[in-house]
Amino acid sequence: MITRIARFTSIAGHPAILMPVAAIVATGSGGELKKQLLPASLAVCCAIIFVVYSQIKIKSGRWQHVDASVKAERKELNVIASLALFAGASALLLLDVNSSLVFAMASSGAIFLCCHVFSKLAKPSLHVAFAIFAACLTYPNVIAMVLLFLMAILLGWSRLHLERHSMLDIAVGAVIGFLAGICFQFLVY
């Protein structure tokens, strides 16, 4: 039963789910649907691209699991994701899109890049990093921030319970997500 809860938590808190939700909450002031549509759509598109990429790798036998838990898989995911997100942020910048959206996408790329850089030390948890980053994106919505920080704690527990990460991996992921979130807030506000 505990393992089922851990798996559900890990899936519910997957970055592909959390980031579109955070994008909607972060742009939700005033309740303008048009204002929320672009960030949420971009987050969903990025998530779909990464899920499809992972599935192709699994079906071709090049990856063992969608989590990209093997070192070579994780390295490839981190490099491809960071390049794709930086390219997306550059395209948004050229299209003169809202700077906060550009910074959010670039910060997401930076999270993947930092995870790649720190891969010799640990296998930073992307789940925890993106949950904390998502919490920072939702500032000044205190309720959303608290819920997402609590989700990050639950994700840390689930990733430990499922033996996907060590405590060091969780801590490094948390620090990366927090620093990306602080940088985002500093650049945007």
Side-chain angles (χ1 to χ4, degrees):
M1 178 66 166
I2 300 283
T3 301
R4 280 187 174 173
I5 293 169
R7 280 193 188 124
F8 175 79
T9 302
S10 187
I11 292 167
H14 194 280
I17 295 170
L18 276 185
M19 292 311 293
V21 170
I24 291 167
V25 172
T27 58
S29 58
E32 291 182 42
L33 181 61
K34 189 176 178 181
K35 193 177 176 186
Q36 296 171 318
L37 197 56
L38 181 61
S41 298
L42 283 172
V44 168
C45 285
C46 285
I48 289 170
I49 289 168
F50 294 132
V51 168
V52 168
Y53 182 81
S54 297
Q55 290 301 319
I56 290 170
K57 289 294 191 174
I58 291 166
K59 291 200 187 294
S60 69
R62 293 186 181 134
W63 283 12
Q64 293 178 10
H65 194 272
V66 74
D67 272 346
S69 293
V70 176
K71 194 170 190 152
E73 297 171 358
R74 181 57 64 110
K75 179 180 179 179
E76 181 179 346
L77 173 68
N78 288 338
V79 170
I80 295 291
S82 61
L83 291 175
L85 289 163
F86 288 141
S90 299
L92 291 175
L93 186 62
L94 292 173
L95 294 171
D96 200 28
V97 174
N98 180 329
S99 63
S100 62
L101 186 54
V102 173
F103 289 135
M105 188 167 268
S107 297
S108 295
I111 289 171
F112 278 104
L113 183 60
C114 287
C115 288
H116 178 66
V117 168
F118 286 103
S119 66
K120 298 223 187 272
L121 169 71
K123 184 179 88 174
S125 172
L126 289 166
H127 281 73
V128 172
F130 276 101
I132 290 177
F133 179 60
C136 293
L137 285 182
T138 61
Y139 176 84
N141 185 330
V142 176
I143 293 170
M145 276 180 49
V146 168
L147 290 173
L148 285 165
F149 278 126
L150 289 173
M151 182 59 151
I153 292 168
L154 283 172
L155 281 167
W157 164 80
S158 75
R159 305 305 285 166
L160 285 170
H161 180 79
L162 296 171
E163 298 179 355
R164 295 283 186 207
H165 291 286
S166 69
M167 198 61 173
L168 179 63
D169 299 340
I170 302 297
V172 173
V175 169
I176 290 170
F178 184 72
L179 290 175
I182 295 300
C183 289
F184 171 81
Q185 290 299 332
F186 179 75
L187 290 170
V188 172
Y189 295 106

